[in-house]
Amino acid sequence: MTEPTRPAHAGPPAHAGPPAEAGPPLTVRYFAGARAAAGRTEEAASASRSLDELVGELAGRHGERLAAVLRVASFLVDGVACHDRRAPLPAGATIDVLPPFAGG
């Protein structure tokens, strides 16, 4: 038994989700050395991505100085430490970039 084919003009199936860039943007907040490297305290980034993908976008946007900080930074997603950098980020989430801090 074969599946019926859909005509080319039928569009996406009814169960298809929203486009990949849909939803509220992410908010990225930079602290300490990350703020200095990015040259800003906060910025928006497109939704529907993992932390690894977001880090790649931010490094490409701001250059090697921020890329170096991002390699050693910790990240909070809506105030919770993120340990799975490949998990999808919730749309509209706030991502805090925390470089290693000196002192005690």
Side-chain angles (χ1 to χ4, degrees), residues 50-95:
S50 69
L51 186 57
D52 277 343
E53 291 168 326
L54 176 63
V55 165
E57 178 186 317
L58 297 174
R61 187 182 298 176
H62 295 290
E64 181 53 36
R65 185 173 175 207
L66 181 60
V69 173
L70 294 172
R71 284 192 289 272
V72 296
S74 297
F75 300 90
L76 301 179
V77 177
D78 288 335
V80 178
C82 180
H83 299 290
D84 182 358
R85 295 174 56 124
R86 293 175 295 185
L89 296 170
T94 298
I95 313 303

Side-chain angles (χ1 to χ4, degrees), residues 9-38:
H9 65 280
H15 66 276
E21 296 301 317
L26 302 172
T27 300
V28 180
R29 299 188 307 187
Y30 299 104
F31 294 87
R35 180 179 353 177

